[in-house]
Amino acid sequence: MKILILPGDGIGAEITAATRLPLEVLDRKFALGLEFVERDIGMAAIEKGLDPMPDAIMEEVRATPFTMLGPVSTMEYPPGAQHLPSPSSLIRDNLDLFANIRPSRTRPGVPSVAKQMDLVIVRENTEGFYAVRTMFEGKGEFMPTPDLAMSMRKITVQGSRRIAKVAFDLARARRKKVTVVHKGNVLRITDGLFLREVRSVAQDYPDVETEEIIVDAMAALLIRRPESFDVVVTTNLFGDILSDEAAELSGGLGLGGSINASNDHAVAQAAHGSAPDIANQNKANPTALVISVQMLLKWHANRSGNNQLASAAAHLETALDDVLADPANHTVDIGGNAGTDQFGEALARAVDQ
Ligand code: ATP
């Protein structure tokens, strides 16, 4: 099985290297038969005279079950490349990765604002207020006159139903509770439709408790009682914002793992960005990417029924918890002094045990 590593921009090279090392140990320990292949995208591809996401690499992503995608930042690209869609959005659009699954939980030894939390935000990934990703042709954001800027929010029946199904299926494997976050009191038509469809899907899951919370109240309740949430399902922009809040509550953005998934494809990608302020300083926390890869292994294990993969995913999670429990392994963002490479080495040793 090939695992395609696309380091991307900013801290991408550092965090993918620190994630690859323990993954190689995991591969040997569980005889997963992974073949590691690394390709340049983003700035590294531009420097070779290519597009940020060369077509050939897009095809490779399509054909590869395991892709580890680093952060990309189009803001850093030269003017000629800035108008091109980012590698991340090309992958998401080409593979229709409609579900962005972002867990946040407190971990022993990791300083966090939340005392206790273990939740997953299921964010719709292809609609909502994201102007560049919602239209068949053209963009959902435009400027009819120099003093007027407009943005369109797209919500569909199909998009709402499929994300709701992902959330309820996930809740069934967890604590059986789904919180639906919306702004239906103001966005009556769009979020009205979203709510209607999520409620309809909920009827197929009578064993799962459902609650509905307005997004502004949710922003507050996440801080007040984060432990009360299990699976949270919401539209694109709300999910983006709330998942950063949740990651921060659990210890920081460097802990925010995520996968982007469709019904038959998934890509591991940390929820944070390219963090240019700390790039190339050996300061970045690779935890978010490690969690993302762990989620990807588990996602494949669940779909294929491959027990070896399931055991490897569980082992990686335990090893990560063990490493994070020791402050000597903490990177700067969570109050320690460990370098990115040091963290990767500590995790590789823990995986080997
Ligand atoms: P981009 O333009 O790619 O979104 P950004 O800096 O605007 O980059 P993030 O990359 O998400 O947004 O970073 C926000 C803040 O969080 C930065 O100060 C960054 O250093 C910090 N941060 C993000 N990811 C990590 C990480 N993995 N380890 C340590 N700090 C991180």
Side-chain angles (χ1 to χ4, degrees):
M1 285 181 298
K2 185 153 99 179
I3 176 153
L4 187 60
I5 301 176
L6 308 175
D9 303 315
I11 57 173
E14 296 159 273
I15 59 172
T16 48
T19 304
R20 176 177 174 159
L21 192 68
L23 205 54
E24 285 175 345
V25 178
L26 192 76
D27 174 42
R28 282 197 297 275
K29 195 175 174 77
F30 287 84
L32 299 176
L34 295 177
E35 178 204 346
F36 292 80
V37 176
E38 211 158 310
R39 301 273 185 249
D40 286 333
I41 60 160
M43 207 51 211
I46 294 170
E47 279 164 4
K48 287 179 165 173
L50 301 168
D51 278 350
M53 185 67 194
D55 289 345
I57 299 180
M58 186 61 239
E59 282 318 303
E60 233 178 319
V61 173
R62 191 188 295 282
T64 306
F66 295 94
T67 297
M68 185 204 300
L69 176 61
V72 288
S73 175
T74 49
M75 305 289 279
E76 313 265 303
Y77 299 169
Q82 283 205 0
H83 70 282
L84 297 170
S86 81
S88 170
S89 61
L90 272 174
I91 292 174
R92 188 186 47 239
D93 294 350
N94 268 293
L95 303 178
D96 195 24
L97 304 177
F98 65 87
N100 184 203
I101 303 174
R102 295 185 164 188
S104 282
R105 70 171 170 88
T106 44
R107 293 167 192 262
V110 178
S112 59
V113 174
K115 284 194 197 73
Q116 163 68 31
M117 72 188 287
D118 180 1
L119 59 80
V120 183
I121 295 186
V122 176
R123 165 195 177 197
E124 203 292 323
N125 213 15
T126 55
E127 305 191 336
F129 259 131
Y130 278 74
V132 288
R133 60 175 86 159
T134 52
M135 300 294 147
F136 170 66
E137 198 173 337
K139 290 185 178 166
E141 194 174 38
F142 45 94
M143 219 166 177
T145 60
D147 58 354
L148 171 65
M150 305 185 81
S151 185
M152 299 218 293
R153 182 169 190 258
K154 174 180 152 190
I155 303 288
T156 67
V157 168
Q158 181 211 23
S160 304
R161 293 188 75 84
R162 65 182 183 174
I163 197 68
K165 199 169 171 330
V166 168
F168 280 94
D169 283 339
L170 183 63
R172 262 199 178 146
R174 293 174 45 95
R175 304 195 308 274
K176 296 192 171 53
K177 180 177 172 188
V178 171
T179 304
V180 192
V181 175
H182 64 96
K183 188 75 183 174
N185 53 334
V186 174
L187 300 166
R188 286 175 187 264
I189 298 177
T190 47
D191 265 355
L193 186 149
F194 176 71
L195 270 175
R196 185 189 77 200
E197 295 307 320
V198 177
R199 284 175 190 154
S200 156
V201 170
Q203 288 181 351
D204 296 334
Y205 297 81
D207 51 322
V208 177
E209 179 196 346
T210 309
E211 68 175 354
E212 294 173 4
I213 298 183
I214 293 174
V215 64
D216 39 323
M218 184 66 185
L221 291 174
L222 254 184
I223 293 167
R224 181 177 290 263
R225 51 172 172 88
E227 72 286 352
S228 70
F229 301 108
D230 179 16
V231 175
V232 177
V233 64
T234 190
T235 51
N236 203 339
L237 185 60
F238 297 161
D240 189 20
I241 297 168
L242 291 175
S243 58
D244 268 22
E245 186 186 344
E248 200 55 43
L249 283 169
S250 76
L253 284 183
L255 305 172
S258 101
I259 56 169
N260 288 307
S262 68
N263 290 326
D264 42 35
H265 218 111
V267 170
Q269 184 183 16
H272 60 71
S274 63
D277 54 332
I278 55 164
N280 303 316
Q281 296 170 40
N282 199 24
K283 281 185 181 165
N285 187 347
T287 299
L289 190 59
V290 173
I291 293 171
S292 309
V293 168
Q294 189 272 336
M295 292 171 70
L296 186 62
L297 296 177
K298 197 169 163 185
W299 187 87
H300 279 289
N302 286 344
R303 275 169 50 88
S304 63
N306 182 331
N307 290 337
Q308 194 68 352
L309 213 48
S311 305
H315 183 72
L316 181 58
E317 187 161 30
T318 308
L320 180 63
D321 272 343
D322 289 348
V323 166
L324 285 170
D326 182 353
N329 297 320
H330 288 181
T331 42
V332 180
D333 57 309
I334 52 172
N337 296 312
T340 311
D341 52 2
Q342 203 183 326
F343 187 97
E345 287 154 16
L347 185 56
R349 282 193 300 276
V351 168
D352 208 15
Q353 277 166 19

